[in-house]
Amino acid sequence: MPVSRPVPPARPAPPPESAAEQTRIAEPPRVPEPPRVPEPPRVAAQPPAVERPPVVERPPVVEPPRVTASTLPPPRRPRSEPVAPDDEPTVQIEAVDPGESVEPPERPEERTGAETRKPPGRTDGLSRLALSKRRRKSRLAALGRTGVALASVLTLVGTGGIWGYMRSTEAGFSQIAALDTESTDIVDPVGQTGDETYLIVGTDTRAGASGSIGAGTVEDAEGARADTVILVNIPADRSRVVAVSFPRDLDVERPVCRGWDSVTGDYSTDIYPEAEGDKLNATYALGGPKCLVKVIQKMSGLKIGHFVGIDFAGFESMVDGIGGVEVCTTAPLIDGELGEILPRAGRQTLDGRKALDYVRARKVEAEGNGDYGRIARQQKFLSSLLRSALSNKVLLDPGKLNGFINAFTQATFVENVNTESLVKLGRSLQNVDAGAVTFLTVPTDGTNDWGNEIPRLDDIKAIFQAIIDDEPLPGEKRDEPEPSEAAAEATTAAPSGPAPVLPAQESVDTSYITLQVSNASGEAGLAARTAETLGAYGYSIYAVGNYSGTSAQTIVRFTPGQEAEAATVASMIPGAVLQKLSSSADRLGVVEVVLGSGFDGTIAEPQLPGTLLRPMPVEDAPADAIELPVDLAVTNAGDDSCS
């Protein structure tokens, strides 16, 4: 029989050995929470030897944000460089302090960069090779589609993949003063916003290397001539390229110009008065790039934003640098001065010297008018260069590419042209096909008693108005950009007939209205004077220039959504009429004031903001198509026929 034993009572837990031991046992749970124990309390908890003044209870030097940051394992490192007074605020600078870079959440870009350098599951060598091949094919195709009218610009803008090398040649560009981007001769500056326009000049200076390759001697002709003048326009949507050639003997009105030294590239203090009946190339010889830009800008109305000059020696070096260019001719090319250039007909590849003679020859009996025959050959040569860029693999041959770039930087003088702008332009043109590159020639009507080519001013005006308005050109083959959804909806919802009257609008504060003032009166300086008066009333003046035509009435032009602004402007100009543009017109929020011949200079004071203005008649802008001359000389870069 089992014996039951009594269960002894539970022993009470022994008391802790000491208060210190109790503290030691309770310490581990507090280890994960060091930020909750600020530094000053720990200092205060220690028995001080001497009673401290109350002011020491605050952290003596460290700012409160830095107290919590000091608990991080790595201590904050001092800055290596002083902060400039105009740098970002201190708080923003601390966010990227090198001392905090050890914390992964603060610098996610470092992890991203590491992952990019070593993608998981890939072999670095193979992926780089594949990407390199893909990029090279893309750049090569881009060059073949862009076609920016001149050999130098064409090839250079398509070389986006050699950024590093081109940056090293940046210092090789010779700079020259040429541009006048604030000229009142610019037509519709707002409409040209985003466009890129280059004036490209081939010079026949007799000095230096150019004289040694057959350009002549300084005794024959001092200075330099504008042997080739091409104006290249690329619209803001980059849907096409238009290059317009000007005959070197074109009869022009020379403006007031300063003298120019073609050897040093400097302008003198000599002032030459304006003159009529001057040749285009003589204008360049006298007043240099500045004078030439003024003449071309006045004749075209285009805003010239870039200038490129190339001499004979530079052209020859660039052609040799890419291994020559193929051309095609239906008959031998023999010049009365240069001799036999192409002894046979058919397709043949020209080196630099032959190519130079090919584009220079102007005494070819079979061509009749030497200047126009030469221009046609230049346009065909540039078109061939564009197409052959694919076959001769310029971009894939480092020797050819480097030679071309070196020749370009050493033999050109430019303004507002650099590596970055050319690369960006080349990338923006990657979807342009060669068929969308069109070469035109300024039409003339015989010669005058001085042998100058007489310009057909009305036809020239129509050509450049079509370029400014982005109208279709003869022989052009481009993909029209699809209209935006907003424009399509506005077109569908708009009523078929124009609204005869603009309802009463509340006047707007003039400081919120931006104006373009255009002169359609024929009175010189009227737009500038009126813009000054309107600016004094608080308007922001975006641009001052000439209108594309003439008008008897003063017109206030606006786009949908600008009704109140347009009414405010029209209420200040007696006799002004409102003209509503289409919903697809991109005017950047700018209202245009077109001053007609009936404008007498009267500008009334603006109404107080919020004042109800009277209803005003409004008309839609005329949609008349621009009539281009039927005999316009056109060359399309996509045409490779041998003719």
Side-chain angles (χ1 to χ4, degrees), residues 314-337:
F315 179 86
E316 179 180 344
S317 299
M318 284 185 285
V319 174
D320 284 336
I322 60 175
V325 176
E326 183 186 73
V327 299
C328 183
T329 179
T330 57
L333 183 64
I334 302 174
D335 182 78
E337 181 176 344

Side-chain angles (χ1 to χ4, degrees), residues 214-576:
T217 65
V218 177
E219 288 74 17
D220 297 332
E222 295 182 0
R225 267 60 174 177
D227 190 72
T228 300
V229 179
I230 301 177
L231 188 60
V232 182
N233 175 261
I234 307 165
D237 63 5
R238 307 297 188 255
S239 61
R240 71 174 179 188
V241 178
V242 184
V244 183
S245 298
F246 292 78
R248 61 178 248 170
D249 292 336
L250 189 68
D251 189 87
V252 298
E253 295 182 5
R254 189 189 71 215
V256 176
C257 295
R258 292 175 57 189
W260 181 64
D261 187 339
S262 62
V263 177
T264 64
D266 297 327
Y267 293 89
S268 68
T269 57
D270 298 333
I271 303 297
Y272 295 95
E274 60 183 10
E276 296 182 357
D278 206 7
K279 283 183 170 65
L280 185 65
N281 64 344
T283 297
Y284 177 83
L286 185 70
K290 277 189 174 182
C291 201
L292 181 65
V293 165
K294 288 181 179 180
V295 171
I296 299 299
Q297 204 156 242
K298 183 177 181 63
M299 184 174 293
S300 66
L302 292 178
K303 181 180 180 178
I304 301 174
H306 312 273
F307 178 87
V308 178
I310 306 174
D311 62 22
F312 283 159
F315 179 86
E316 179 180 344
S317 299
M318 284 185 285
V319 174
D320 284 336
I322 60 175
V325 176
E326 183 186 73
V327 299
C328 183
T329 179
T330 57
L333 183 64
I334 302 174
D335 182 78
E337 181 176 344
L338 300 176
E340 187 179 67
I341 299 173
L342 300 180
R344 59 180 178 83
R347 297 185 183 275
Q348 46 204 300
T349 300
L350 308 182
D351 60 14
R353 178 60 61 89
K354 283 294 183 182
L356 180 59
D357 289 343
Y358 179 82
V359 299
R360 285 177 56 203
R362 60 192 305 265
K363 294 185 178 180
V364 180
E365 184 176 354
E367 292 178 348
N369 187 330
D371 220 10
Y372 277 85
R374 184 177 59 129
I375 289 174
R377 270 183 277 110
Q378 291 172 354
Q379 294 174 349
K380 291 179 181 179
F381 178 86
L382 296 174
S383 299
S384 179
L385 172 63
L386 168 66
R387 296 189 305 270
S388 64
L390 280 171
S391 61
N392 62 22
K393 304 185 187 306
V394 174
L395 298 181
L396 300 182
D397 188 325
K400 292 180 179 179
L401 186 57
N402 294 352
F404 180 88
I405 295 174
N406 286 331
F408 179 83
T409 56
Q410 294 173 8
T412 58
F413 45 100
V414 302
E415 183 175 8
N416 199 25
V417 175
N418 55 31
T419 303
E420 183 178 0
S421 64
L422 291 174
V423 169
K424 287 182 178 179
L425 178 62
R427 288 173 177 171
S428 68
L429 289 169
Q430 60 184 350
N431 295 322
V432 177
D433 188 78
V437 181
T438 306
F439 294 90
L440 307 175
T441 305
V442 167
T444 59
D445 190 14
T447 59
N448 57 22
D449 295 339
W450 298 278
N452 298 356
E453 297 282 347
I454 303 172
R456 289 157 44 183
L457 297 178
D458 290 342
D459 289 338
I460 293 174
K461 181 179 180 181
I463 291 171
F464 286 108
Q465 190 59 50
I467 293 174
I468 293 173
D469 293 344
D470 203 17
E471 295 290 334
L473 298 172
E476 186 177 64
K477 304 171 185 177
R478 64 167 168 166
D479 296 329
E480 294 290 342
E482 296 182 0
S484 63
E485 295 182 3
E489 292 176 359
T491 303
T492 304
S496 57
V501 176
L502 180 68
Q505 303 287 325
E506 290 186 357
S507 61
V508 179
D509 188 338
T510 57
S511 63
Y512 294 118
I513 303 176
T514 302
L515 299 179
Q516 172 181 320
V517 184
S518 302
N519 192 351
S521 68
E523 180 183 346
L526 180 62
R529 295 193 301 271
T530 305
E532 184 177 355
T533 302
L534 291 170
Y537 282 117
Y539 291 100
S540 298
I541 306 300
Y542 179 85
V544 177
N546 289 329
Y547 189 58
S548 57
T550 58
S551 174
Q553 291 181 309
T554 295
I555 307 170
V556 178
R557 308 174 78 210
F558 66 98
T559 52
Q562 294 181 310
E563 287 80 4
E565 290 84 349
T568 301
V569 177
S571 67
M572 297 176 58
I573 305 176

Side-chain angles (χ1 to χ4, degrees), residues 96-113:
V96 295
D97 192 276
E100 299 177 359
S101 63
V102 297
E103 185 69 18
E106 298 296 326
R107 295 291 299 273
E109 64 272 16
E110 292 189 356
R111 300 197 309 274
T112 303

